[in-house]
Amino acid sequence: MHLCNIFVLAVLSVRSVSAFSSVVSTDVPITSNAPAEMSDVPRPTRVRRDLSTGVSVTTSVALVFAPANPTDAPLRTLKYKPAETRVITNGERLAQGLPPRKPTLRRVRGYGSHRRQAAAAQPSSTPCVLRGRIQVTGTEKGGFVSRMANPYGEYRLAQDPADALSVVLRRSCNPADDAPFEIEATNGLENLPLFGGFVGVASSSDDLIKGSRNYVYLSGTGSVPSGPAQNAPNGFTAATRYPRDVESFVWTSSLAAADGTLALTMGWVNTDGSAAQGPQLVYHAPEDAFALVGDAEAFSQAYGPSPSVAFTFVPDAAL
């Protein structure tokens, strides 16, 4: 009887240890003070302790960021202006391995004989109106602002110059005039003639300031008088029916380089009428869209890594 009782107690002890092991082997976060209501906060690294060996195994958990566009909005199909039919430039032909085009020749009658002469370049009657595309640097592969938008009406990144948004800059003829101007998009979203910005749907206000994750997505827009954002047509509203505030007089540029290129800068006017301080253009890869933000670090922490980018206007003649 004494030996039997010892055997029963040993069995019960083993079962108790097994039950305890199943309880303490659950995942335990390293950090215990994480906010309870922040879906955009990265999930903590977790540690699993293997009780059979006493070794702690660290497993990484995928970072989760807040969506910058609504995930439950019924989306309408966006319409576009016809793609422009144009002869590709010699620069594009060389990039594709093609020989340059021969000069266009015309016959000139004079002195009873025919002479052949290359067509002379005609000076523009509006020298302050510039036509070209917007080149993007800062992303992994670079590219251009695309003529196509993502499903939410926000212009995307294109690799092929043939897919780029064709734009017209109507800037002041006076080089000393740094007043913001509008950029016209000639082959982008239908009925949205300008390349401007609208306040992101997850922004808490129309202001871009340091420490805030507010953002402005770039899209086709209507024209809005220079000043704080106002409710106006834009690509996001066309896709989702959600009204958004818009600014269109947001662009300034550097003096033209020798090849005619211009560095473009995008600004923003906050609700109190003051200019946003140091806003940055970023490429938000999860949405394949460009955004203007007041704090790039705060935006990236909330919505995912978004590298800063630079826009350069490249005239058609330089492509």
Side-chain angles (χ1 to χ4, degrees):
M1 291 293 292
H2 180 68
L3 292 175
C4 184
N5 288 338
I6 293 176
F7 177 78
V8 171
L9 290 174
V11 171
L12 291 176
S13 298
V14 170
R15 288 181 178 178
S16 298
V17 171
S18 177
F20 175 77
S21 299
S22 65
V23 172
V24 300
S25 64
T26 57
D27 291 348
V28 180
I30 290 179
T31 57
S32 59
N33 295 323
E37 298 181 357
M38 288 186 66
S39 60
D40 57 326
V41 175
R43 293 178 181 175
T45 302
R46 294 180 179 275
V47 175
R48 177 182 294 277
R49 180 176 296 278
D50 187 340
L51 293 180
S52 64
T53 62
V55 176
S56 298
V57 181
T58 302
T59 58
S60 60
V61 180
L63 298 178
V64 177
F65 299 100
N69 279 319
T71 57
D72 56 351
L75 300 177
R76 292 185 286 190
T77 301
L78 296 168
K79 297 181 180 180
Y80 293 86
K81 301 170 187 175
E84 293 180 341
T85 302
R86 64 180 183 86
V87 178
I88 64 173
T89 65
N90 280 337
E92 291 172 324
R93 292 178 64 87
L94 292 174
Q96 297 174 19
L98 301 173
R101 291 181 288 111
K102 295 180 179 180
T104 301
L105 301 176
R106 65 181 180 184
R107 294 183 182 276
V108 178
R109 188 179 301 277
Y111 301 101
S113 63
H114 292 86
R115 292 181 299 169
R116 301 184 68 180
Q117 182 183 33
Q122 300 297 317
S124 171
S125 59
T126 53
C128 302
V129 176
L130 307 175
R131 301 176 184 275
R133 282 163 280 187
I134 299 175
Q135 191 171 38
V136 180
T137 54
T139 62
E140 182 178 355
K141 296 182 178 180
F144 295 83
V145 175
S146 175
R147 66 177 295 266
M148 304 298 291
N150 66 16
Y152 294 93
E154 299 140 4
Y155 280 125
R156 310 168 72 167
L157 176 67
Q159 301 297 325
D160 191 337
D163 298 328
L165 185 70
S166 293
V167 298
V168 178
L169 274 58
R170 302 185 185 278
R171 58 196 291 269
S172 172
C173 298
N174 182 1
D177 187 354
D178 59 355
F181 55 85
E182 293 178 316
I183 293 181
E184 179 184 347
T186 61
N187 64 342
L189 291 164
E190 189 175 81
N191 300 321
L192 296 168
L194 301 176
F195 181 51
F198 69 87
V199 178
V201 70
S203 295
S204 60
S205 71
D206 289 3
D207 295 331
L208 297 182
I209 56 177
K210 192 69 176 176
S212 169
R213 64 185 194 179
N214 289 352
Y215 59 99
V216 170
Y217 268 144
L218 277 61
S219 178
T221 72
S223 182
V224 175
S226 183
Q230 301 179 27
N231 187 5
N234 63 86
F236 182 84
T237 299
T240 66
R241 301 180 177 86
Y242 295 164
R244 304 307 301 160
D245 287 344
V246 166
E247 290 186 23
S248 59
F249 280 90
V250 293
W251 301 103
T252 56
S253 69
S254 65
L255 296 177
D259 59 358
T261 59
L262 300 168
L264 293 175
T265 300
M266 186 177 182
W268 190 257
V269 179
N270 287 333
T271 52
D272 63 358
S274 65
Q277 298 300 305
Q280 293 177 271
L281 280 169
V282 300
Y283 174 64
H284 190 215
E287 300 291 350
D288 191 10
F290 300 99
L292 184 72
V293 300
D295 190 321
E297 183 177 359
F299 178 83
S300 294
Q301 288 178 350
Y303 302 111
S306 303
S308 295
V309 296
F311 283 178
T312 302
F313 170 79
V314 181
D316 286 337
L319 289 167

